[in-house]
Amino acid sequence: MTKRILVLGGAHLDRRGQIAADTVAGASNPGTWREDLGGGAFNVARNLARLGHAVELIAPRGGDAAGQRVAEEASLAGIDDRPFVFLDRATPSYTAVLEQDGNLVIALADMELYRLFTPRRLRARSVREAMARADLIVCDANLPAETLSALGAEASARGIALAGIAISPAKVIRLRKVLPDIAWVFMNSAEAAALAGAAASPDQWADLLRPLGLSGGVVTKGGEDIAAFDSQTSLMIKPPPASPVVDVTGAGDALAAGVLDTLLAGESLPPALVRGIAASHIALASPYAAPPELDRNLLERKAAEIAASTAYS
């Protein structure tokens, strides 16, 4: 069933270099370089649009070629793009260096433009109308903390579920004050530790994060156990190994889209996690942050494979 989803947050240039052999720190390493488009919000938006939902995107960008590329990519994905454009600014960018096996070595995020997405932007008529149409709102922690707090209050007042994408350990703490207004936060273990103020094993995340006001969350750690909880239950899933792994960029965002898509259909947390893992495996096998081949048929086939080899606890 098609749902109307409003997504607010990052949509920017994604540069990724991959080292061709064993990584040698402090030295020149042979490898390849490519540019894509990314951002947690934009990745989730594209994935949900490719799964058939009506997605509106509100993301700041500059009046440059990179900003135009974001607009073109949004159109290709079937997204209703409603940006805030700052003509005299550069579109944000994310630059990553990857190991030969696709795992991240280091990344640099130039995201200062997102600071201009202030709470007053939420009062714009176009934004208020988009909220009124939405069955779900998704945000990422690229937005300023005060904007996230205002967004959470608005979503709560309207009775609209809000989901958050953690982005990084440094940024996820922007979500702390708004956790009682968020239905779901998607994060890795480092981001969860930053949010909770302590590291934990997968079976402990629900007990650490619920007291902060968070009613639902999914915590990943590469290919290790995935912890998930809602207001009623908590569980862990041991996902099967992903193969091949071409690039880890966007895998967590794909997982979030797969989970949200399933929850929007009224299904429970276990099948939602299976479809989330399936979406993440599709992303891991792709060189793109939001795999263009993703659609509902591919997701269902991959989910059936995942379900047959998944252990719950």
Side-chain angles (χ1 to χ4, degrees):
M1 179 183 298
T2 298
K3 297 291 185 179
R4 299 196 68 92
I5 303 170
L6 174 62
V7 182
L8 305 97
H12 49 251
L13 186 63
D14 226 346
R15 303 183 184 93
R16 298 199 294 282
Q18 188 161 13
I19 296 169
D22 290 341
T23 303
V24 180
S28 176
N29 288 262
T32 58
W33 195 262
R34 66 181 182 275
E35 288 187 351
D36 190 11
L37 295 166
F42 195 28
N43 292 341
V44 172
R46 285 181 288 176
N47 290 328
L48 287 170
R50 287 167 179 151
L51 291 174
H53 296 287
V55 178
E56 293 184 61
L57 174 69
I58 300 176
R61 69 198 63 152
D64 54 9
Q68 182 59 37
R69 286 180 61 185
V70 171
E72 292 168 355
E73 174 68 11
S75 178
L76 286 172
I79 292 170
D80 184 358
D81 185 32
R82 298 171 176 269
F84 293 130
V85 179
F86 299 87
L87 295 176
D88 60 340
R89 303 289 185 118
T91 297
S93 64
Y94 172 82
T95 303
V97 176
L98 308 174
E99 298 270 16
Q100 184 181 17
D101 61 6
N103 285 307
L104 181 67
V105 176
I106 194 168
L108 187 151
D110 179 5
M111 307 289 174
E112 280 299 299
L113 184 65
Y114 295 138
R115 293 177 61 188
L116 300 182
F117 198 142
T118 58
R120 72 179 182 84
R121 297 277 175 182
L122 299 177
R123 297 195 292 271
R125 180 177 178 180
S126 60
V127 178
R128 289 187 285 108
E129 290 176 346
M131 288 184 185
R133 291 189 290 268
D135 298 303
L136 170 71
I137 299 174
V138 181
C139 64
D140 72 24
N142 281 310
L143 300 181
E146 59 272 21
T147 304
L148 292 167
S149 293
L151 177 61
E154 186 69 24
S156 181
R158 292 174 179 269
I160 304 170
L162 175 64
I165 309 300
I167 299 298
S168 72
K171 292 182 178 180
V172 70
I173 58 174
R174 298 174 183 175
L175 294 171
R176 274 188 184 149
K177 290 184 178 179
V178 74
L179 290 180
D181 294 321
I182 295 185
W184 293 92
V185 174
F186 296 88
M187 59 202 124
N188 61 34
S189 59
E191 293 158 352
L195 192 60
S201 59
D203 62 330
Q204 296 174 316
W205 284 124
D207 291 337
L208 280 175
L209 294 169
R210 278 183 179 136
L212 301 178
L214 181 60
S215 60
V218 177
V219 183
T220 61
K221 188 178 181 180
E224 299 181 24
D225 287 351
I226 297 173
F229 64 93
D230 57 22
S231 59
Q232 304 295 323
T233 61
S234 60
L235 71 155
M236 291 190 303
I237 288 185
K238 176 65 175 178
S243 181
V245 176
V246 175
D247 192 336
V248 300
T249 307
D253 302 326
L255 184 143
V259 170
L260 292 171
D261 170 70
T262 310
L263 293 174
L264 283 168
E267 297 195 45
S268 62
L269 189 52
L273 277 179
V274 167
R275 288 193 181 87
I277 294 167
S280 71
H281 280 208
I282 294 168
L284 287 166
S286 172
Y288 300 101
E293 65 272 22
L294 177 66
D295 60 22
R296 189 160 298 282
N297 289 334
L298 176 58
L299 181 63
E300 292 302 331
R301 292 198 303 272
K302 179 62 73 171
E305 296 174 11
I306 298 294
S309 55
T310 296
Y312 295 83
S313 60

